[in-house]
Amino acid sequence: MSLNKYTKAELLEMLSSSGIDAKPSMKKDELIELLAKAAEPALEETMIEASASEENSESNTKPSASQPVFLVVGVFVALAILAWIIL
């Protein structure tokens, strides 16, 4: 997400809503840097949680039975159509 598109006032509001103290005298680039540093730990936590959930979901997944069922049903439908054509 590009923070350059936000105004200085919007950046200050984002920082204050995140609980980060920023001075209004700071430059826009400094505010963006503060927001980026604040987002890094949250991003790392999100990535760790996502990788942990992937590991759990991979070990608990069961194979799907829908493909063999569709294959059997398809064969029976094809046989029924052939029998109808022949008779």
Side-chain angles (χ1 to χ4, degrees), residues 10-30:
E10 290 172 328
L11 292 171
L12 284 167
E13 178 63 31
M14 286 182 205
L15 285 165
S16 67
S17 67
S18 298
I20 300 169
D21 292 329
K23 298 176 185 175
S25 62
M26 295 175 76
K27 294 182 180 179
K28 185 175 177 179
D29 292 336
E30 294 171 328

Side-chain angles (χ1 to χ4, degrees), residues 7-82:
T7 64
K8 186 176 175 180
E10 290 172 328
L11 292 171
L12 284 167
E13 178 63 31
M14 286 182 205
L15 285 165
S16 67
S17 67
S18 298
I20 300 169
D21 292 329
K23 298 176 185 175
S25 62
M26 295 175 76
K27 294 182 180 179
K28 185 175 177 179
D29 292 336
E30 294 171 328
L31 298 174
I32 291 172
E33 187 177 328
L34 276 176
L35 274 170
K37 285 181 182 178
E40 284 177 7
L43 181 61
E44 287 177 14
E45 278 184 24
T46 305
M47 292 178 70
I48 291 169
E49 290 172 3
S51 65
S53 67
E54 281 180 15
E55 290 173 1
N56 291 338
S57 66
E58 288 176 6
S59 63
N60 295 332
T61 57
K62 296 180 182 177
S64 174
S66 63
Q67 287 181 337
V69 170
F70 286 132
L71 180 65
V72 170
V73 170
V75 168
F76 280 115
V77 169
L79 287 173
I81 292 172
L82 286 173

